[in-house]
């Protein structure tokens, strides 16, 4: 997947960084990881705050997803540039990007310096999902979201179901 991660500086100003190296690493407790280069502006923000928020972008946000992987928050206000709407999270101090239909609130539990990147292992302390993605049985219908993925320099919209777990 490719995600937009929101993080705050000490004054509470929000920055957004695009991360392609991310994924779920544990289901109980729910945990994920993101890997960020130490030279990136957001690296220090995440390390200092010990929290971040993973926003799952859709095909509608693909332009900004790419742009925020190229520009630095040192130089531009990415939230203002994109015109994104931020909303308070429920368990941490970092806001969600409303335009992204799924938002994972995360608290860092461990930091691993791996070489070119630092891996932030984090517990998912809350998940917010746009109500339009909830089906009649209370299942999150992610297939309706238009989520995107990144592979070898290209973005793809996730599409057709090809099977199911255990088939």
């Amino acid at each position: 997947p490719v995600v937009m991660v929101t993080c705050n500086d000490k004054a509470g100003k929000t920055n957004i960084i695009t991360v392609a190296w991310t994924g779920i690493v544990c289901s109980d407790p729910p945990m994920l990881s993101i890997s960020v280069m130490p030279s990136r502006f957001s690296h220090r923000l995440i390390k200092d705050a010990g929290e971040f928020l993973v926003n799952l972008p859709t095909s509608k946000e693909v332009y900004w997803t790419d742009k925020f992987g190229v520009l630095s928050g040192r130089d531009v206000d990415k939230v203002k540039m994109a015109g994104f709407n931020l909303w308070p999270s429920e368990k941490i101090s970092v806001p969600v990007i409303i335009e992204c239909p799924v938002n994972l609130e995360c608290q860092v539990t461990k930091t691993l310096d791996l070489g070119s990147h630092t891996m932030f292992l984090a517990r998912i302390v809350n998940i917010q999902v746009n109500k339009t993605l909830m089906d009649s049985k209370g299942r999150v219908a992610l297939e309706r979201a238009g989520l995107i993925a990144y592979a070898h320099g290209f973005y793809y919209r996730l599409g057709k179901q090809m099977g199911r777990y255990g088939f």
Side-chain angles (χ1 to χ4, degrees), residues 79-159:
V79 176
K80 185 177 179 181
M81 177 184 281
F84 283 147
N85 296 293
L86 301 181
W87 188 259
S89 59
E90 296 176 4
K91 305 266 180 164
I92 64 173
S93 64
V94 180
V96 304
I97 299 172
I98 291 177
E99 288 77 5
C100 295
V102 179
N103 317 94
L104 304 143
E105 300 175 34
C106 301
Q107 293 177 330
V108 176
T109 60
K110 190 170 189 172
T111 302
L112 300 169
D113 295 318
L114 302 174
S116 65
H117 286 68
T118 299
M119 179 183 285
F120 294 99
L121 291 171
R123 178 175 269 196
I124 302 168
V125 296
N126 193 48
I127 299 172
Q128 295 188 41
V129 177
N130 187 303
K131 289 179 177 131
T132 62
L133 294 182
M134 302 301 291
D135 71 12
S136 61
K137 296 179 183 177
R139 182 184 74 87
V140 179
L142 284 178
E143 67 277 6
R144 295 194 317 227
L147 298 178
I148 58 176
Y150 178 83
H152 303 289
F154 297 92
Y155 297 92
Y156 298 91
R157 182 175 181 191
L158 299 181

Side-chain angles (χ1 to χ4, degrees), residues 21 53 56 67 71 120-121 132 138:
W21 293 356
L53 203 141
L56 302 185
K67 195 83 162 164
L71 298 175
F120 294 99
L121 291 171
T132 62

Side-chain angles (χ1 to χ4, degrees), residues 21-40:
W21 293 356
T22 183
I24 299 296
V25 297
C26 189
S27 57
D28 187 17
M31 296 182 74
L32 60 74
S33 71
I34 62 171
S35 292
V36 180
M37 294 178 78
S39 61
R40 300 291 186 189

Side-chain angles (χ1 to χ4, degrees), residues 5 7 9 13-18 39-45 67-81:
V5 173
C7 50
D9 67 14
K13 184 177 178 189
T14 301
N15 188 53
I16 304 169
I17 183 173
T18 297
S39 61
R40 300 291 186 189
F41 178 64
S42 294
H43 183 278
R44 181 184 49 79
L45 303 183
K67 195 83 162 164
F68 295 159
V70 177
L71 298 175
S72 174
R74 287 183 189 97
D75 306 320
V76 296
D77 183 335
K78 296 178 186 179
V79 176
K80 185 177 179 181
M81 177 184 281

Side-chain angles (χ1 to χ4, degrees), residues 4 18 60-69 81-82 84:
M4 289 193 284
T18 297
K60 294 175 186 172
E61 292 81 42
V62 71
Y63 173 82
W64 293 112
T65 303
D66 184 63
K67 195 83 162 164
F68 295 159
M81 177 184 281
F84 283 147

